[in-house]
Amino acid sequence: MEAGVLDALGAAIVACDARRAAELARQSVDQGVDPLQSFEAMTVAMTEVGRRFEAGECWLPDLVGAADAMQAATPIVEEEIRRQGMARQSLGTVVAGTVEGDIHSIGMQMVCTLLVGAGFEVHNLGISVQPAAFVAAVREHEASVLALSALLTVTAAEQGKVIALLEAEGLRDAVKVMVGGGAVTDDFARRVGADGYEPSAVGAVALAQRFVADLKGSAISQ
Amino acid sequence: MSKVGGKMLDGYQRRFRAIEVVSAAELDAMHQAALEILERAGATVQHEGALALLAEHGCRVDRDAQKAYLPTGLVERCLESCPSSYSIRGRDPGSDVRIGGTRVHFMQGMGMRYVDPDTWELRPATLREHAEAQIVGDALDSVHVMDACFAYTDIAGVPPIMQQLECLASGLRFSGKPQHYGYLKDSHRYAIRMAQALGVTLNSEIDVAPPIVFGHDAVEALIAFAEIGWGLEACPGGAAGATSPGSLAGSVVQMWAGTLAFIVLTQLVNPGAPVGRQVTGTVLHPKWGHPLDGAPESWLLGAMTNQLCARHGVPITSPVGFCGQAKSFDYQAAWEKALGVFFSVTTGSHLHVLHGSHGEELGFSNVLQVMDDDIARAIGRLLDGTEVSDETMATELIVEVASTGANFMSQAHTRQYWMKDRFQPATADWDTNVEWVKGGRTDVVSRARERAEAILATHRPTPLSAEQERAVSEVLDEARECYRASALITAGEWEPYMQAVRSLEGLSQAPTAGTIGGA
């Protein structure tokens, strides 16, 4: 029975069925399945979707749909993990948002969804977020990655202001900053002091994964 | 008809019926769907004054949610009061452009950064390069409307808040043609004063964020331009599958609903205010999710929108096909642009964005402006068509030649028609292969670079009078001080900004060789 519900949970994620995934997550809890195993099954499913995406067997909406399904099931499983006094190992904590003055959100939403699907804990602050709010969230959640989005040339400059405030608050070295959006390039990212830039949502997830690996490596060497 | 070598800005006349890609019944269905959306889902309007205006005219308004639900009767009355065409005024006599009807004009393109034609790398432009782009656009007969505001939007040293104003000032200084504009925070009030000081009008695009959201700054700008009766373009957003439905018809419907809401606002502010639609909306790359302006599906979105606008008498500005995904000025760039623009023009657009845009609007280039001149003029030649008459059918001549064994080359009729209304490319090479080898086997990019350099060395746009320059400078100074005071220009940005402004000294009145191909 346990194998059956876990297989079905994975299948629901691959099928981008958020409602079914949430139902099966609840079912797994009710059946007493180890919630860490449930989370593992979800991660395996997302990895399979990622493999298919890389192989050109499925496309961006399939990736986002699967991540949405995982996002629907995750809180149910996580609540059970906490109730049993256990802890889930997330890849890292990400604070994300669109900078002040910019109301475009679709790119950031896709990045956040895919980050959750990849195993990150994500705090999406929304649109038109002031620099101080970003910094406060980084501090509160002990974020390892800060993801800033800006679509317009005029708002892209706000990304530099957030980075400058992180430095002023003594937080810059503790967090990796990635920037993105229509107005951003590699060169611009370097100019504003960001740690990286990727033009696609999928690339942003890979960048976040490299960031946390770098941070872990730095922690070990210290 | 636009003449090679002349300076007429009549544009081109579409002498044949626009191609239809959807039926009348399908158009009606999409229009009705948009009306239903406005009644059921409404528009988000982040502006208290606009919400009050909508409430006054019968809309159900939820102030807490900043929502207005637009009744169909109101929408249809406002649509009826829109003029089906309108003019924009430039400095040069005879440069005014009328948008609508069967006339087709071209507008300078939009692009963020300077494209290096040797390495294809993108970098911020200089203010001087931006000014040179205006000089080249002013010289090209097929550019009827300038887009100084958006030809280079990432300019080294210029604070973002001043980008549109500095670019507009350069556009007004270095071209006498009408100008397109946008909006940025409250900078439109300075733009309006600058234009009024020179006796010109602006044609401004204002966006409607998807699904149907009017931001506060957008509404402020809309009100300002509508009140003075200057042209406005509704720019609703829609990336199929992300910010609008994944189906093309669904994207068209959502954006049409945004257009109608925009029209309602303008007409309530000033009944009869000129308003058109800038055709927006694309499909996205299936894997990476970025916009694909060069995809045929994006062109279809545009064509369906053109038909909707034509059916309801809404003038159309279209950037469909203005740039694709090509990373260099190559075969891909050419087919993406030529096919996309041709399809858009033949399906009914009036003012077509084209010259100089590159690579998903990430780049702009003078070299490309020159190359795009050939595309625009070739399309214009197709639009102008040809005369069918007794004279041109030449029946008697055919009978004579067929009966006598003569040839046509020695006929007076041939001498009359050989070059009549013939398109001649300015940059493409139509010579024989032998001539091409003798000429050094040049390619189109190198020929375009030479032509752009020649234009910069010889073309003199109509200069501003001392009084006009003073008026422009005073408005810029006032804007700079206002934005310094509000820290939208920081202390650290000021000196690089002034250096950038000083780089224009010496360019203002005299022709100069430019820096095509790199700084």
Side-chain angles (χ1 to χ4, degrees):
Chain A
M1 188 192 287
E2 176 175 310
V5 73
L6 292 183
D7 284 346
L9 177 56
I13 287 170
V14 172
C16 307
D17 192 338
R19 189 171 6 176
R20 184 80 179 124
E23 279 171 6
L24 287 161
R26 173 57 53 200
Q27 208 174 310
S28 75
V29 168
D30 293 343
Q31 288 176 7
V33 174
D34 180 346
L36 288 175
Q37 289 204 348
S38 298
F39 202 86
E40 175 65 18
M42 287 154 54
T43 305
V44 166
M46 276 306 305
T47 303
E48 168 59 15
V49 175
R51 184 203 66 76
R52 293 183 189 184
F53 177 82
E54 289 300 324
E57 294 169 21
C58 74
W59 305 103
L60 186 61
D62 305 305
L63 201 62
V64 172
D68 273 340
M70 178 155 174
Q71 211 165 7
T74 295
I76 298 167
V77 174
E78 279 190 332
E79 187 187 351
E80 182 62 13
I81 289 172
R82 281 193 296 273
R83 194 189 69 79
Q84 292 190 19
M86 297 188 284
R88 172 173 82 82
Q89 194 74 13
S90 86
L91 270 183
T93 302
V94 180
V95 166
T98 304
V99 297
E100 187 173 13
D102 201 316
I103 62 171
H104 298 90
S105 64
I106 183 66
M108 179 54 72
Q109 282 174 13
M110 279 200 294
V111 168
C112 288
T113 299
L114 295 179
L115 283 169
V116 169
F120 285 91
E121 178 184 323
V122 179
H123 302 274
N124 185 353
L125 305 183
I127 58 173
S128 194
V129 180
Q130 294 186 342
F134 279 118
V135 173
V138 165
R139 182 178 281 118
E140 180 191 344
H141 299 293
E142 295 181 301
S144 35
V145 178
L146 174 62
L148 304 172
S149 173
L151 184 71
L152 311 170
T153 321
V154 65
T155 54
E158 292 294 318
Q159 294 171 332
K161 291 182 183 174
V162 175
I163 293 170
L165 189 58
L166 279 173
E167 295 210 13
E169 296 287 315
L171 289 171
R172 183 64 185 93
D173 290 339
V175 64
K176 293 284 195 183
V177 181
M178 70 163 82
V179 293
V184 180
T185 60
D186 264 334
D187 176 62
F188 176 84
R190 272 192 297 275
R191 276 189 279 139
V192 298
D195 296 299
Y197 154 76
E198 281 288 338
S200 71
V202 171
V205 173
L207 181 60
Q209 289 167 330
R210 290 199 295 276
F211 278 167
V212 294
D214 285 348
L215 282 168
K216 280 188 185 144
S218 301
I220 290 169
S221 67
Q222 282 168 14
Chain B
M1 182 185 301
S2 211
K3 287 184 177 175
V4 173
K7 240 200 179 296
M8 293 168 64
L9 293 177
D10 292 342
Y12 308 99
Q13 177 87 352
R14 185 172 40 243
R15 293 185 190 279
F16 47 83
R17 213 170 129 185
I19 296 170
E20 294 177 353
V21 297
V22 290
S23 69
E26 287 165 335
L27 284 178
D28 283 341
M30 287 192 286
H31 179 65
Q32 289 301 322
L35 292 173
E36 183 180 342
I37 285 166
L38 289 176
E39 281 198 352
R40 291 176 55 196
T44 302
V45 182
Q46 296 167 347
H47 191 282
E48 185 51 46
L51 283 173
L53 185 63
L54 290 164
E56 222 176 285
H57 285 84
C59 297
R60 179 168 60 88
V61 167
D62 178 346
R63 280 190 165 74
D64 290 336
Q66 294 184 305
K67 279 278 222 184
Y69 300 87
L70 280 61
T72 293
L74 173 66
V75 176
E76 288 181 333
R77 283 195 303 277
C78 290
L79 193 50
E80 192 65 31
S81 78
C82 278
S84 61
S85 62
Y86 62 90
S87 293
I88 41 177
R89 192 182 326 134
R91 285 196 296 119
D92 285 345
S95 69
D96 295 2
V97 167
R98 190 149 189 89
I99 306 172
T102 56
R103 300 222 70 86
V104 174
H105 293 87
F106 286 93
M107 184 163 94
Q108 188 179 40
M110 313 168 181
M112 201 182 296
R113 298 187 169 103
Y114 179 92
V115 186
D116 187 316
D118 291 312
T119 64
W120 311 116
E121 286 177 6
L122 301 170
R123 62 158 173 80
T126 64
L127 206 48
R128 191 179 181 95
E129 284 164 343
H130 176 273
E132 289 173 349
Q134 306 316 300
I135 295 171
V136 171
D138 188 71
L140 296 173
D141 282 342
S142 64
V143 174
H144 306 109
V145 177
M146 301 294 288
D147 199 6
C149 181
F150 294 115
Y152 296 132
T153 58
D154 185 7
I155 301 186
V158 176
I161 188 63
M162 287 300 296
Q163 176 264 320
Q164 288 190 9
L165 288 174
E166 289 291 348
C167 289
L168 177 64
S170 264
L172 292 169
R173 287 178 177 124
F174 297 112
S175 174
K177 296 177 181 176
Q179 289 286 343
H180 179 247
Y181 192 67
Y183 77 99
L184 182 60
K185 292 192 182 286
D186 66 344
S187 64
H188 57 272
R189 55 194 177 102
Y190 296 109
I192 288 171
R193 282 176 48 200
M194 224 187 283
Q196 285 174 328
L198 304 187
V200 304
T201 63
L202 302 173
N203 189 42
S204 298
E205 62 172 76
I206 311 278
D207 62 322
V208 183
I212 307 167
V213 178
F214 292 85
H216 182 268
D217 290 349
V219 177
E220 285 283 300
L222 180 156
I223 291 171
F225 285 111
E227 277 178 344
I228 58 177
W230 287 7
L232 275 168
E233 297 163 9
C235 285
T243 57
S244 62
S247 53
L248 298 185
S251 281
V252 170
V253 164
Q254 178 186 291
M255 289 187 284
W256 186 240
T259 305
L260 293 175
F262 189 100
I263 287 172
V264 166
L265 275 173
T266 58
Q267 300 307 294
L268 293 184
V269 168
N270 181 6
V275 57
R277 163 74 189 269
Q278 186 178 120
V279 178
T280 43
T282 64
V283 295
L284 301 180
H285 191 287
K287 194 162 181 177
W288 307 120
H290 56 268
L292 293 179
D293 291 300
E297 292 83 4
S298 297
W299 306 341
L300 267 176
L301 276 174
M304 292 162 76
T305 304
N306 286 352
Q307 266 190 267
L308 263 176
C309 289
R311 187 162 182 81
H312 297 283
V314 177
I316 305 160
T317 297
S318 180
V320 167
F322 77 134
C323 61
Q325 273 50 61
K327 312 304 184 282
S328 62
F329 305 160
D330 59 6
Y331 191 88
Q332 178 182 342
W335 75 252
E336 284 176 334
K337 281 199 171 206
L339 279 180
V341 173
F342 178 70
F343 189 57
S344 178
V345 168
T346 52
T347 53
S349 57
H350 299 116
L351 176 62
H352 214 92
V353 182
L354 173 60
H355 299 66
S357 298
H358 171 73
E360 293 176 52
E361 209 180 332
L362 293 176
F364 184 91
S365 167
N366 260 343
V367 175
L368 211 46
Q369 276 205 99
V370 167
M371 290 162 69
D372 290 338
D373 176 51
D374 271 355
I375 293 179
R377 290 189 305 106
I379 289 175
R381 179 64 194 89
L382 290 170
L383 290 174
D384 282 342
T386 192
E387 180 194 347
V388 177
S389 63
D390 286 342
E391 164 79 17
T392 63
M393 286 193 291
T395 311
E396 292 305 318
L397 179 62
I398 297 169
V399 168
E400 182 190 329
V401 168
S403 306
T404 61
N407 66 62
F408 291 95
M409 187 60 76
S410 49
Q411 305 296 326
H413 187 275
T414 294
R415 288 191 291 280
Q416 182 186 357
Y417 282 96
W418 186 254
M419 288 306 295
K420 184 172 162 45
D421 301 328
R422 284 288 295 270
F423 167 79
Q424 290 280 287
T427 308
D429 178 357
W430 281 6
D431 281 340
T432 65
N433 193 275
V434 168
E435 290 300 315
W436 173 67
V437 171
K438 272 194 222 165
R441 301 174 187 259
T442 58
D443 63 25
V444 67
V445 175
S446 57
R447 289 193 298 274
R449 285 167 84 154
E450 277 180 29
R451 188 170 169 226
E453 287 283 3
I455 288 172
L456 287 170
T458 58
H459 182 65
R460 302 189 68 151
T462 311
L464 294 183
S465 67
E467 187 187 339
Q468 288 175 324
E469 175 57 50
R470 207 163 28 248
V472 169
S473 296
E474 275 173 13
V475 172
L476 283 176
D477 283 341
E478 198 179 311
R480 290 166 186 156
E481 286 315 307
C482 171
Y483 295 132
R484 279 183 89 179
S486 58
L488 285 169
I489 301 176
T490 65
E493 288 174 322
W494 183 252
E495 191 43 47
Y497 175 27
M498 288 299 103
Q499 276 182 19
V501 169
R502 284 193 291 270
S503 73
L504 287 179
E505 287 165 9
L507 183 62
S508 53
Q509 299 298 325
T512 180
T515 55
I516 306 294

